Amino acid sequence: SSINQLITDFRKRDWPQFFLGDDPMERASQVAEEAHGVEARLLAQADEIMAHRFNILGSGLTDLGSMIPWRSDFISGHEWPMEHFSRLDIVNLDAGFDIKVPWELSRFHHATTLGQIYSFTGDEKYAREFVNQLADWWSQNPAGFGPNWANAMEAAIRSTNWIWAYEFLRGSSALDDEFLVSFLKSMLQHARYIASHLESGWPRSNHLIADLCGLVGLGLFLSPAHESRLWISKGLCLLMREMNLQVLEDGADYEGSTSYHLFVAEMVLWTVAYCDINSVSVPEVIRQSLARMLDVISGLLRPDGNIPLFGDCDSGRWLVLESDRSSLPSLQDPRGVLGLAAVLFDRPDWADSL
């Protein structure tokens, strides 16, 4: 009935549940006891983020300055204007710029790092950095304008990482009422954009899987917004169809890439887990197809924690939670995927392979 009522209801709601429980800091202390060195690694990563130094797609650690250039390929210097995405020249193979640079930066994988280190330290500077970066991103990328709105998969990955960062940081005073209203507005815009721009052309690909997983996740997070049930239902229904089409009988992803195979499995696994902790029914076809994909990953896993690279690879991730990624040249983490899957599916044999 009012903005104030929206804020009150959202902050006090007891559904949906999230992975971190009621107290992310309590969870962080448990992690610290089990995994020594985590906090130190997170602090080192967070220091670079606070200084706006990023390594994007092999660029090397690059200082992006006080104002992050969200619409730029900072490697070539090309900047896309703040025009409607339909009028932008997104890809030009002869021009020497790469749209994937601003896309990768705007996936906000680094936001989960800020959230994780906040849960260890309680230092408000990390929450303020998250709030400031989002405010800056919103000002440079109003809904539908700029290159970061030209692809539904990017919106899906970005919103997923924002959800995780928010859940880590939600106890911070920096996430005040004004921020929350802007945040919910942007998440609503992301959900509506994804729903109306599904990448459902032919051939199908991991892009559409990402769109649908993002739609389900946003539907859960934004509950009980009146559109959220539709997003969850539509996302799961279409995901059932795509898993049936895109996963072969032997469990391999039909794109013929081990990297994309892992990427799809990671996206679907987190989506199923989010549904499960909130008692949202997931079609059995999705579970069966996912289980076959996980069997393939377990079979491919090498002693060094990598999987062999066949086919295309862009090191795409759904979530980049803290892990010892320095030992993984592809920056992908099949061990984290299998660890979660072993619990979710009650398959200790997958954990035994780690």
Side-chain angles (χ1 to χ4, degrees), residues 4 18 77-78 103 111 116 138 173 191 204 239 272 293 324 331:
N4 288 337
F18 199 69
H78 179 80
W103 279 0
Q116 285 177 286
W138 292 330
S173 59
R204 302 280 206 272
L239 186 58
V272 170
M293 295 190 82
D324 191 14
L331 298 183

Side-chain angles (χ1 to χ4, degrees), residues 83-153:
E83 295 184 10
H84 193 269
F85 71 87
S86 63
R87 297 196 291 268
L88 295 177
D89 187 11
I90 296 298
V91 177
N92 186 329
L93 298 180
D94 299 321
F97 56 77
D98 189 353
I99 187 59
K100 297 206 74 173
V101 173
W103 279 0
E104 184 70 21
L105 182 61
S106 288
R107 287 182 174 186
F108 272 85
H109 288 305
H110 62 276
T112 60
T113 301
L114 293 174
Q116 285 177 286
I117 194 58
Y118 175 81
S119 70
F120 276 93
T121 66
D123 193 328
E124 291 292 332
K125 70 180 182 182
Y126 300 116
R128 290 194 296 270
E129 179 67 17
F130 174 68
V131 169
N132 291 338
Q133 283 197 25
L134 260 63
D136 185 46
W137 193 92
W138 292 330
S139 70
Q140 292 194 43
N141 299 271
F145 287 79
N148 292 308
W149 286 99
N151 186 292
M153 180 173 75

Side-chain angles (χ1 to χ4, degrees), residues 1 56 84 86 189 259 263 326 350:
S1 60
I56 302 296
H84 193 269
S86 63
Q189 290 168 337
S259 176
F263 185 40
S326 62
W350 289 338

Side-chain angles (χ1 to χ4, degrees), residues 54-79:
F54 296 92
N55 181 359
I56 302 296
L57 301 177
S59 66
L61 206 57
T62 304
D63 188 339
L64 299 186
S66 59
M67 300 295 289
I68 297 174
W70 300 109
R71 301 195 316 274
S72 297
D73 170 7
F74 59 80
I75 298 173
S76 70
H78 179 80
E79 180 175 350

